[in-house]
Amino acid sequence: MATETTQAPWVGRPLDRIDGPGKVAGQVRYAAEEFGPGTLFAHVVQSTVAKGRVRAADTAAAKAVPAVVAVWTCLDAPRLARRQVAEYDQPALKVLSPPYHVLQDPAVRYRGQEVGLVVAETSLAARHAASLVRLEYEEGGAALGFAEDAEAFTPDSLMVPLEPDYRRGDLAAGFAAAAAIVDAEYLTPAEHHAAIELGATVARFEGGKLTVHTTTQDIHGARLCLANSLSLPMEDIRVICRYLGGGFGGKNGTWPHTVLAAFAARELGRPVRLELTRQQMFPLHGHRARHRQHVRLGATADGRFTALEHGISVQTDAARRFVEHTGEASPMLYAVPNVAVSHRGVACDIPAPTIMRAPGAAPGMFALESAVDELAAALGIDPVELRLRNEPATDPETGKPWSSRALAAALREGAGRFGWERRTAAPRSMRDGRHLVGYGVASATYPANRLPCGARVRLSADGTATVETAGTDIGTGTYTILAQVAADALGLPPDRVRVALGDSALPKSPGSGGSWGAVSHGTAVQEACAALRANLGGATDLHGALKAKGLSEAVGEATATPPKEKKTANHAFGAHFVEVRVDPDTLEVRVPRMLGVFGVGRLVNAKTARSQLMGGMVWGLGMALTEATVLDERLGHFVNADLAEYHVPVNADVRDVEVVVLEESDALVSPLGAKGLGEIGIVGMAAAIANAVHHATGVRVRELPITIASLAGEA
Ligand code: MOS
């Protein structure tokens, strides 16, 4: 762009994505495209019951289809050894990328489960033949409901350090001291990730070694899963994912289709490609769990919180029983002396839920930030002011100082920019013509984590450099920001830096997730560049030193490891302000204005950062108004399993979105000063919209998405 200057420092600048032109021109290859001549195509056969056993299979018609090479069901597929050959070096990996002993067991645990596989010379033949497989089931006893009295279990642990049952202070005393108490239940539906790119794997064996191109955010997790599923040593498996068409957490874990492709490739001795259909993505690729949350929040008459109780119930599957860490923000966000947060799972015969953008906080903060708004109304205190009155000086959960905390600054800056002072407190008190107008606010927060990460940098005598790490770019801008980081560290323009990502042959990475990608990979690249400089005797002019030594290349490699004990509480913060307009006759809700103000540390790239924050806010709009997957509680399938009926926001839904990033640099989170910002944009947005809808209409909607029916039902 002509407006950009062309000098260091490159970190912070709004550089265009370096992978953009290749993507637009169709020159880069996604996993599903990484196949050549001789590749076979596989299609999954799915169960048509939610619970039971496959009793018999008739595969004759499927086998008779021309070009079909193999038809297997869980009754007759080749047997797999069940050996754990690789260690799960992070607890979350056991949940997200467990071993899948595919097609070994006739048990059916959810409708849509993989119970067979057809492999053919063409994808159409495989899909057609799969439709001809006839299975008989012993069926019955599926638990599909999520009623209030459903039997719940307490998980042993959560995916984050928070205990499933967190307590501090004396809850009863806290509520006894309250002048006002909000006591309410909030419901959120199952939601699906809806990445444009479908889940896909191409697998091939050569000389006993497996190479897999697959759609994953986490190369290491996929490799672990394949190793333990197929009893193959890690070193015999190479996993590659150079480009992803969206991940959003759905591609953080590994799913059975990836194992099925490798299994078939090994059995048949030919490369196998397996791409799920959009409909298959719904049961076979994870979703955000349906939630029931009970919040009790008390405050004194002058608006000091005295007690918070946050009870979380999550509908999960019966096999993996993943319970989301939905209450993660509740112990740390506000100064509340007495707090209880509990997590429960309700195990059902449904497809497995998983993490989705801002796991934990996205559903959890809908409940908490709605309750704060309800309490503000009950107390007659402005909802921005109520939040400001409960700012904790240090982290109330750990007692540690904040690495940095910009919540109050975001609330103040946002209120000023938005024109919050124009808001009149009473519901239904603002109008524009015939439309009801509402203003809503909510806080946002997300942990600022950094994980151990490896990187290697090569500087060549021709004045170019190559950065290598197994980390992935899920569409967020990782290629671009790592070129910027290396450019500053090496004294080169970023167009001289090539970035290689997404390959298990490269230094190990924690993958892209948890908003830790930029800080983990960025720090590793900085340290690899420092190692390279040290290898050249600490030279200032690296290129000159290379020439003087007569070298064609210098290499630096490092594993950047954050300190084991954190001395500070590290989180990103923000505040959302939204305006809604509600048609008083049709009850249609529109959102003409959304403002997000964030304290997310130093930006590595102002353009990709803004895109991430904006993308999160837009998803929050979808969460508030359109997104829900509906489970048929008689038969166990998601009834709206495609993008025609699962509604993500489109351009007509998204009007004026403003993203403001406060000046902040947080060296305690990362040497880059960055905090990570891939997820915080969605956190709290649904509550801000629900709060604005209440302000506009006087109707408090506690169940997402907010629909015309939900407004009509209560109005
Ligand atoms: Mo992200 S939901 O942590 O992959």
Side-chain angles (χ1 to χ4, degrees):
M1 257 166 56
T3 52
E4 288 172 9
T5 61
T6 51
Q7 290 161 23
W10 298 98
V11 166
R13 302 265 301 282
L15 251 61
D16 291 341
R17 286 159 192 268
I18 60 177
D19 50 325
K23 284 182 172 174
V24 172
Q27 287 163 343
V28 307
R29 301 223 293 199
Y30 292 82
E33 300 171 308
E34 295 275 8
F35 66 97
T39 302
L40 293 169
F41 297 82
H43 198 84
V44 177
V45 178
Q46 298 172 272
S47 73
T48 53
V49 303
K51 186 164 174 76
R53 296 175 74 76
V54 177
R55 194 176 56 203
D58 177 356
T59 56
K63 284 176 175 158
V65 172
V68 164
V69 173
V71 180
W72 295 314
T73 72
C74 53
L75 299 180
D76 65 2
R79 297 295 96 180
L80 274 171
R82 294 185 186 226
R83 268 193 303 129
Q84 184 173 327
V85 299
E87 200 185 322
Y88 285 98
D89 45 359
Q90 271 186 47
L93 290 173
K94 235 187 267 180
V95 179
L96 293 173
S97 293
Y100 298 109
H101 299 110
V102 292
L103 305 184
Q104 303 294 297
D105 181 352
V108 175
R109 295 179 186 85
Y110 60 91
R111 186 166 173 193
Q113 178 184 318
E114 69 291 343
V115 288
L117 190 74
V118 175
V119 188
E121 299 286 349
T122 70
S123 60
L124 284 178
R127 188 169 180 173
H128 173 57
S131 75
L132 301 177
V133 173
R134 292 282 167 264
L135 298 173
E136 281 176 40
Y137 302 89
E138 275 165 40
E139 185 191 350
L144 296 167
F146 187 46
E148 216 156 336
D149 56 358
E151 201 172 311
F153 68 91
T154 305
D156 296 332
S157 61
L158 301 173
M159 203 178 271
V160 298
L162 180 67
E163 290 297 319
D165 278 294
Y166 170 88
R167 294 262 179 287
R168 74 165 173 259
D170 179 342
L171 213 58
F175 283 117
I181 296 172
V182 165
D183 186 335
E185 187 176 72
Y186 302 89
L187 303 175
T188 54
E191 296 159 4
H192 275 80
H193 304 79
I196 291 174
E197 183 197 32
L198 302 167
T201 301
V202 180
R204 66 168 195 276
F205 275 86
E206 271 162 354
K209 305 219 175 200
L210 171 64
T211 301
V212 161
H213 287 89
T214 193
T215 46
T216 183
Q217 296 169 232
D218 180 13
I219 294 283
H220 176 64
R223 198 179 186 203
L224 264 177
C225 172
L226 285 161
N228 287 328
S229 301
L230 300 173
S231 303
L232 267 180
M234 288 281 270
E235 54 273 22
D236 289 352
I237 303 172
R238 182 173 174 196
V239 175
I240 302 170
C241 178
R242 298 204 176 97
Y243 299 96
L244 268 182
F248 310 120
K251 290 174 184 155
N252 198 317
T254 312
W255 300 100
H257 70 273
T258 297
V259 176
L260 282 168
F263 171 76
R266 182 164 69 179
E267 291 301 326
L268 299 171
R270 286 174 63 180
V272 172
R273 174 188 187 273
L274 200 172
E275 184 179 40
L276 297 177
T277 65
R278 176 61 65 186
Q279 288 78 8
Q280 288 177 330
M281 291 293 283
F282 282 74
L284 290 174
H285 218 282
H287 64 277
R288 172 139 40 221
R290 191 175 166 194
H291 276 72
R292 180 188 305 286
Q293 299 181 66
H294 183 194
V295 178
R296 228 168 24 124
L297 179 64
T300 58
D302 66 347
R304 313 280 159 190
F305 294 154
T306 58
L308 166 63
E309 185 179 19
H310 190 171
I312 292 145
S313 176
V314 176
Q315 187 180 31
T316 188
D317 70 308
R320 192 160 78 164
R321 292 167 42 119
F322 165 63
V323 174
E324 189 169 335
H325 40 282
T326 303
E328 191 179 24
S330 296
M332 52 66 62
L333 188 57
Y334 297 116
V336 197
N338 309 294
V339 176
V341 183
S342 66
H343 295 80
R344 299 290 180 268
V346 175
C348 294
D349 299 303
I350 62 166
T354 189
I355 54 173
M356 179 188 278
R357 198 177 204 164
M365 289 281 281
F366 166 65
L368 180 61
E369 289 299 289
S370 292
V372 169
D373 199 71
E374 296 199 47
L375 190 57
L379 292 164
I381 297 175
D382 177 88
V384 173
E385 174 60 25
L386 181 62
R387 288 173 171 86
L388 291 172
R389 283 191 198 171
N390 290 282
E391 266 289 291
T394 55
D395 177 15
E397 183 179 1
T398 62
K400 292 177 183 175
W402 305 105
S403 65
S404 56
R405 175 176 165 116
L407 178 56
L411 285 164
R412 290 197 177 100
E413 177 75 20
R417 285 175 179 261
F418 190 77
W420 187 255
E421 79 285 350
R422 290 198 299 270
R423 181 183 189 265
T424 50
R428 300 183 79 92
S429 64
M430 291 174 73
R431 282 182 185 258
D432 182 12
R434 46 185 293 279
H435 286 101
L436 298 165
V437 174
Y439 285 8
V441 64
S443 302
T445 187
Y446 206 71
N449 286 323
R450 178 158 84 81
L451 268 64
C453 184
R456 188 164 49 225
V457 178
R458 304 170 186 280
L459 181 67
S460 161
D462 68 5
T464 64
T466 303
V467 171
E468 301 172 327
T469 167
T472 49
D473 187 331
I474 69 176
T476 46
T478 312
Y479 277 106
T480 312
I481 66 164
L482 295 188
Q484 291 173 265
V485 170
D488 281 354
L490 299 174
L492 290 174
D495 62 6
R496 294 294 188 87
V497 181
R498 196 179 80 85
V499 181
L501 297 175
D503 187 336
S504 60
L506 304 176
K508 187 178 163 188
S509 142
S512 290
S515 295
W516 58 59
V519 296
S520 303
H521 300 122
T523 308
V525 168
Q526 283 186 316
E527 292 195 9
C529 291
L532 184 147
R533 192 176 296 278
N535 290 344
L536 287 175
T540 317
D541 174 9
L542 295 173
H543 197 213
L546 208 60
K547 278 191 177 154
K549 289 180 193 270
L551 297 169
S552 61
E553 185 185 74
V555 181
E557 185 164 351
T559 298
T561 309
K564 265 215 159 59
E565 278 292 316
K566 271 191 274 188
K567 294 195 171 67
T568 51
N570 302 355
H571 303 263
F573 293 92
H576 296 294
F577 291 81
V578 300
E579 176 180 328
V580 303
R581 282 174 185 236
V582 183
D583 186 306
D585 298 320
T586 66
L587 301 178
E588 183 191 24
V589 177
R590 307 297 290 173
V591 184
R593 255 187 340 133
M594 306 163 78
L595 166 66
V597 183
F598 302 96
V600 287
R602 184 176 171 214
L603 301 185
V604 185
N605 179 314
K607 184 178 287 178
T608 57
R610 179 172 173 275
S611 294
Q612 283 306 299
L613 294 165
M614 179 185 278
M617 291 167 68
V618 168
W619 197 344
L621 172 68
M623 184 179 174
L625 297 180
T626 62
E627 294 190 44
T629 333
V630 178
L631 186 81
D632 184 323
E633 293 192 0
R634 301 158 308 162
L635 301 173
H637 64 294
F638 291 116
V639 297
N640 54 331
D642 60 43
L643 296 187
E645 303 224 30
Y646 182 88
H647 293 153
V648 298
V650 298
N651 281 350
D653 298 310
V654 182
R655 312 308 296 177
D656 180 10
V657 184
E658 192 183 352
V659 176
V660 175
V661 177
L662 300 171
E663 202 60 46
E664 185 178 86
S665 183
D666 191 330
L668 296 167
V669 172
S670 72
L672 274 169
K675 275 184 174 175
L677 46 73
E679 292 167 289
I680 189 172
I682 190 176
V683 177
M685 178 53 82
I689 291 172
N691 296 342
V693 166
H694 173 260
H695 182 232
T697 64
V699 180
R700 176 64 61 179
V701 182
R702 301 187 184 91
E703 178 171 7
L704 295 182
I706 299 165
T707 61
I708 290 168
S710 60
L711 289 172
E714 293 189 47

Short mmCIF file of all heavy atoms in Angstrom, two decimals, residues 204 431 494 632 692 701:
data_model
loop_
_atom_site.label_atom_id
_atom_site.label_comp_id
_atom_site.label_asym_id
_atom_site.label_seq_id
_atom_site.Cartn_x
_atom_site.Cartn_y
_atom_site.Cartn_z
N ARG A 204 -0.82 -40.87 2.96
CA ARG A 204 -0.12 -41.86 2.14
C ARG A 204 1.03 -42.48 2.92
O ARG A 204 1.67 -41.82 3.75
CB ARG A 204 0.36 -41.27 0.81
CG ARG A 204 1.41 -40.21 0.92
CD ARG A 204 2.02 -39.91 -0.46
NE ARG A 204 3.27 -39.18 -0.28
CZ ARG A 204 3.33 -37.85 -0.11
NH1 ARG A 204 2.24 -37.13 -0.13
NH2 ARG A 204 4.50 -37.27 0.08
N ARG A 431 -36.01 6.42 21.12
CA ARG A 431 -36.62 6.05 19.84
C ARG A 431 -35.97 6.83 18.71
O ARG A 431 -35.45 7.92 18.92
CB ARG A 431 -38.11 6.38 19.84
CG ARG A 431 -38.94 5.36 20.60
CD ARG A 431 -40.41 5.71 20.53
NE ARG A 431 -41.15 4.78 21.37
CZ ARG A 431 -41.85 3.74 20.89
NH1 ARG A 431 -41.93 3.52 19.59
NH2 ARG A 431 -42.47 2.93 21.72
N PRO A 494 10.65 -7.27 5.36
CA PRO A 494 9.89 -8.51 5.47
C PRO A 494 9.73 -9.26 4.15
O PRO A 494 9.54 -10.47 4.16
CB PRO A 494 8.52 -8.06 6.02
CG PRO A 494 8.53 -6.59 6.05
CD PRO A 494 9.92 -6.10 5.86
N ASP A 632 -32.45 -32.75 17.58
CA ASP A 632 -33.73 -33.45 17.64
C ASP A 632 -33.67 -34.39 18.84
O ASP A 632 -32.91 -35.37 18.82
CB ASP A 632 -33.97 -34.22 16.34
CG ASP A 632 -35.33 -34.89 16.32
OD1 ASP A 632 -35.78 -35.38 17.39
OD2 ASP A 632 -35.94 -34.96 15.24
N ALA A 692 -28.60 -4.34 25.32
CA ALA A 692 -29.15 -3.27 24.49
C ALA A 692 -30.60 -3.58 24.10
O ALA A 692 -31.45 -2.68 24.06
CB ALA A 692 -28.29 -3.07 23.25
N VAL A 701 -34.00 -10.95 27.59
CA VAL A 701 -33.91 -12.27 26.97
C VAL A 701 -32.68 -12.98 27.53
O VAL A 701 -31.56 -12.49 27.41
CB VAL A 701 -33.82 -12.17 25.43
CG1 VAL A 701 -33.78 -13.56 24.81
CG2 VAL A 701 -35.00 -11.37 24.88
#
